[in-house]
Amino acid sequence: TFTKIRKDYQTVGIGYLASTDDDHVAISFEHTDYKWCPIDELKDYEPFFTHEQKKKYYQILVHHNKIDYHELLYLFPDIDSYSIIANTLYLQGKYAKAIPFFIAYYDAASKSCDLDNMIYAKMSLGSVYACLFDMNTCIEEYNQAIKLIDCTHSSNYKDIIYYNIGATYTELKQ
């Protein structure tokens, strides 16, 4: 998030969903006079956000546990919201809670024929089930992701999936 002070006016922007936990942010030279501010300071600027900026703001709030994910879904019941919630729960180690959101993410991607997000959702479900030590469901989800990848004639994710399967088996010593 940023604020730019100019002679005659001030602009506020929230164009990117980014986490600055490590305090390293790369921005181009024309943005060097922007001020980065904490999430809590953004509340004052919310009335000026565009629809997309407000959506990203709420996604950031969910990711940082500032609001409950139900509020995000109430305001923005779309593929991006399901993805953010599912991934946030996964990163927090709340694997079982993440499952219905990854499924909803997959369903939303499927309804809009978004093959990349369908693949990512299935890969993520495979990872979730691996973390829960449910190998049968894990392999089933990964195999579905591979079938979707085969439909695209692209192998971008296949290596990741095969690595994840091998790493899971190694972890479980099977």
Side-chain angles (χ1 to χ4, degrees):
T1 59
F2 53 84
T3 302
K4 181 169 180 155
I5 308 294
R6 296 190 174 111
K7 270 189 203 174
D8 302 325
Y9 62 96
Q10 175 178 352
T11 58
V12 176
I14 177 174
Y16 304 96
L17 179 59
S19 176
T20 57
D21 295 335
D22 60 2
D23 293 329
H24 295 284
V25 177
I27 54 177
S28 58
F29 71 92
E30 68 267 16
H31 296 114
T32 54
D33 59 345
Y34 284 78
K35 172 192 167 217
W36 295 89
C37 64
I39 296 169
D40 298 334
E41 285 183 32
L42 285 175
K43 186 71 178 154
D44 297 338
Y45 301 108
E46 187 178 350
F48 307 105
F49 290 163
T50 65
H51 177 79
E52 282 302 307
Q53 289 171 331
K54 186 173 182 177
K55 182 166 98 171
K56 293 223 182 283
Y57 171 60
Y58 275 80
Q59 290 171 348
I60 292 168
L61 292 176
V62 166
H63 183 72
H64 288 279
N65 295 314
K66 300 284 185 178
I67 63 167
D68 185 70
Y69 55 81
H70 291 98
E71 188 172 349
L72 175 64
L73 285 176
Y74 176 76
L75 294 170
F76 307 101
D78 61 16
I79 190 170
D80 295 328
S81 296
Y82 286 112
S83 173
I84 290 290
I85 293 166
N87 283 295
T88 298
L89 292 169
Y90 176 80
L91 291 172
Q92 292 172 347
K94 298 175 182 174
Y95 307 120
K97 271 185 116 173
I99 292 170
F101 292 100
F102 277 120
I103 291 170
Y105 171 39
Y106 175 83
D107 290 343
S110 178
K111 284 179 186 169
S112 62
C113 299
D114 185 340
L115 204 51
D116 283 338
N117 277 308
M118 290 167 65
I119 292 166
Y120 183 78
K122 286 296 181 178
M123 286 177 54
S124 299
L125 280 165
S127 297
V128 166
Y129 285 112
C131 292
L132 293 171
F133 305 107
D134 182 348
M135 282 308 296
N136 291 332
T137 310
C138 166
I139 298 301
E140 183 181 314
E141 295 292 344
Y142 281 145
N143 282 333
Q144 288 177 15
I146 289 169
K147 286 178 184 175
L148 289 169
I149 290 167
D150 289 341
C151 293
T152 67
H153 305 292
S154 170
S155 63
N156 293 348
Y157 296 114
K158 269 190 181 178
D159 292 339
I160 296 169
I161 292 171
Y162 289 134
Y163 171 83
N164 286 350
I165 291 170
T168 302
Y169 277 126
T170 301
E171 182 71 24
L172 296 174
K173 295 178 183 16
Q174 291 186 1

